[in-house]
Amino acid sequence: MKHLILVFLLIFSANCFSQDTITTAKAKDYMDKMVCLKGKVASFKLASEGKNINYINIDKAYPDNIFSVIITNSYLEQLNIKIEDLLNKVIYVKGTINTYKNDPKQLPQIFNPISIEVQKE
């Protein structure tokens, strides 16, 4: 019985902690799933006056972007991140991949990620 419980716990914990880091090329394969995405910040757009949405384009700049991280002003303050400092840096973004209004024709994105970390050099 002890062995059965131990095996169950090992299998369960492996599933909880094993999270692959994916690239933007694989993002469409992980729709509606929590992932850790790795990519280089190619461009960004800060929210203009009266707006609330900021965009970080990963691997390719707008209008050729293939993946975006969307962050509201208030959430950006919570994460304590300056988007301007991320340009041309490789980052890890943890969050759920989806599309705008769940339209499969739209580009994959992560809205208000759980975390954003810059790769150590």
Side-chain angles (χ1 to χ4, degrees):
M1 184 66 169
K2 289 181 185 179
H3 295 289
L4 181 62
I5 293 172
L6 181 62
V7 169
F8 176 75
L9 288 174
L10 287 174
I11 291 172
F12 181 73
S13 64
N15 286 335
C16 290
F17 296 111
S18 67
Q19 184 165 353
D20 294 333
T21 300
I22 66 166
T23 62
T24 55
K26 295 181 180 180
K28 287 189 177 185
D29 297 335
Y30 290 86
M31 296 302 293
D32 298 319
K33 294 186 178 154
M34 179 73 69
V35 298
C36 182
L37 182 125
K38 177 183 177 183
K40 185 176 182 178
V41 176
S43 68
F44 63 88
K45 181 182 177 208
L46 297 176
S48 57
E49 190 68 34
K51 302 286 184 175
N52 188 37
I53 302 293
N54 303 279
Y55 299 89
I56 302 173
N57 297 309
I58 308 295
D59 290 341
K60 291 189 178 183
Y62 181 83
D64 298 322
N65 57 321
I66 55 175
F67 190 90
S68 294
V69 179
I70 317 298
I71 306 175
T72 59
N73 287 339
S74 59
Y75 202 75
L76 195 59
E77 289 174 15
Q78 278 182 322
L79 291 177
N80 196 24
I81 292 176
K82 287 191 171 201
I83 293 178
E84 304 93 327
D85 296 341
L86 299 178
L87 188 61
N88 295 319
K89 294 188 178 171
V90 175
I91 61 171
Y92 294 91
V93 182
K94 185 174 181 180
T96 302
I97 295 181
N98 54 35
T99 58
Y100 180 68
K101 295 187 177 180
N102 292 320
D103 182 354
K105 295 177 187 172
Q106 299 291 325
L107 293 175
Q109 65 184 22
I110 293 178
F111 181 77
N112 283 344
I114 293 170
S115 66
I116 296 176
E117 295 181 26
V118 178
Q119 181 179 15
K120 305 269 191 257
E121 294 182 18

